Amino acid sequence: VDIAENIDVNYDDRSSVNNSTDDIIVVSFYLPINACKNNNDERWRLDIANEPFYHALTSIINSNENVNIKNIKWIGLLKNESKISSNEIKEELYDKLKTHYNMYPMSINENLYKSLFTLFNYHLEPLIHYVTTPDIITDIKTYEGLFASYRAFNELIANSIINLLSSTRSTLIMLNDYHFFFVPSLLYSMLNTFHREETLQKISIGRFVHCPFPSVDVFKKLPYREEILQSMMNCAVIGFHTYYASQNFIRAAKVIIGVDSASTLQGDIALTYMGRKLIVRVANITPEPSMLYREIETSEFNSMVEAMRKGIEEKFVFVSIDNMQFMSGISMKLIAFQRFLSCIDREYISRIVFLLYIRMSSDDIDANGNLILSSEQSALLSNIKSLTKQITDEHGDVLRLEIK
């Protein structure tokens, strides 16, 4: 197993950093390091993913000499783990993640992963993004089973966090996105059960929601909405990308569980529930310059740019980069582009080109590099190709489609 070279932090030179009195535990669904297989020698390696939050965190570490990298731990799933057939290699990967990067991979069985995948991709994400709302009468039994898996996963995460807590140092726990709604309440409940009151006083939970938060009318359609909000109230700070999302959350908390709100001197909103205060903030997490600079210097990027430039000189260029999933709205973009072309003069069409890049997840590619598409993805791909053919047949070479 080879370790990653494209890192922004020197994990091994820990003596040059001042000792910090606090620990930070970051929790995300996937670790910011992927397991990849070399094509030439069949060896596995660990590569840093282009994860904006990871690069934002490492930027803070590099600019603050009081932050010690060895006090930052990361919990999550190792991407592509299911493709590793050798338990010996898997254990070696786990060991290197812990010793080199302070990252603690979670291992879950295939059935639990499939349940989580179904809940996230076909229920929570569409609801959060206003694409659809669940029919409670027909879906309630489905939701019960899926949320049982969700709770079990959150319990595993909470247990992993407890195992990393220090009895002598304070700990900031940073939860990312909607995968861990139940973790705050489970964490406090477990610590109370284990009679670790001294640890309770030394932890603080933060959460950043990387996706929109739906309006209260939509959120009220979600089963376990009260439990989700009550668990979120155990956080000290919750961050949102937009003011609109933060206001939706505050409104839902007021209507559904009856919280009180007030402005702070710093301009934040403080929610009060059961004697506990929660700060709501709006902040953006964007790609770090170091990540962008590293990417644009690679030969792969420059080759891609050269390929893009061929045949598009002096043209109006539309570019879209999307994941192969229904939520990306690829079909809607193609329909909109088709309608746009039908509304403009023919003389301008030859000066227009639409570059559409569709990214496949590593979960959709087997060990031999072949695509593994679900029935929904197959139907989506068929629809995309059909729309692409309609556009090119009617308007000529105005669309480039690339799937990789």
Side-chain angles (χ1 to χ4, degrees), residues 189-396:
S189 176
M190 289 178 178
L191 288 173
N192 274 318
T193 302
F194 298 153
H195 302 290
R196 293 180 59 176
E197 290 81 3
E198 74 287 349
T199 305
L200 277 171
Q201 305 300 320
K202 295 178 181 178
I203 67 171
S204 184
I205 303 175
R207 173 189 294 278
F208 194 89
V209 182
H210 297 263
C211 58
F213 198 92
S215 67
V216 63
D217 293 329
V218 174
F219 190 76
K220 281 170 68 176
K221 296 180 180 293
L222 181 67
Y224 307 98
R225 53 195 174 272
E226 294 95 344
E227 191 173 352
I228 289 173
L229 290 172
Q230 288 166 352
S231 179
M232 294 177 75
M233 290 302 132
N234 284 295
C235 297
V237 180
I238 293 183
F240 294 90
H241 272 295
T242 65
Y243 175 80
Y244 182 71
S246 69
Q247 291 303 300
N248 282 344
F249 167 71
I250 292 170
R251 177 66 176 162
K254 285 183 176 181
V255 171
I256 296 174
I257 60 174
V259 304
D260 297 320
S261 66
S263 298
T264 68
L265 292 175
Q266 292 75 28
D268 301 315
I269 299 295
L271 303 183
T272 304
Y273 181 72
M274 304 288 287
R276 185 180 183 88
K277 281 192 175 181
L278 161 68
I279 299 298
V280 179
R281 287 181 177 166
V282 178
N284 270 322
I285 294 180
T286 58
E288 286 295 303
S290 60
M291 181 183 73
L292 298 178
Y293 291 146
R294 184 173 60 238
E295 288 301 314
I296 63 178
E297 291 173 353
T298 62
S299 58
E300 182 183 4
F301 174 84
N302 287 285
S303 298
M304 182 189 72
V305 171
E306 288 301 317
M308 287 176 61
R309 285 176 174 166
K310 290 181 179 177
I312 64 173
E313 295 82 359
E314 299 183 358
K315 288 192 175 185
F316 297 102
V317 182
F318 298 84
V319 181
S320 181
I321 303 174
D322 300 285
N323 294 324
M324 175 60 86
Q325 58 182 11
F326 172 72
M327 290 297 302
S328 296
I330 302 172
S331 297
M332 300 299 291
K333 291 177 184 178
L334 289 171
I335 293 171
F337 183 62
Q338 188 177 28
R339 181 174 296 180
F340 167 72
L341 294 175
S342 66
C343 295
I344 64 174
D345 294 337
R346 298 289 302 179
E347 61 181 289
Y348 291 110
I349 292 180
S350 61
R351 297 174 58 192
I352 292 173
V353 62
F354 183 15
L355 308 179
L356 176 57
Y357 296 92
I358 301 178
R359 298 170 61 249
M360 302 301 300
S361 166
S362 58
D363 292 334
D364 302 323
I365 304 173
D366 64 18
N368 298 318
N370 301 315
L371 291 179
I372 310 172
L373 299 180
S374 65
S375 57
E376 291 80 6
Q377 287 177 317
S378 297
L380 176 60
L381 181 58
S382 177
N383 183 248
I384 290 170
K385 289 182 176 179
S386 175
L387 288 169
T388 300
K389 187 176 186 303
Q390 290 177 29
I391 293 171
T392 53
D393 287 348
E394 182 178 357
H395 301 286

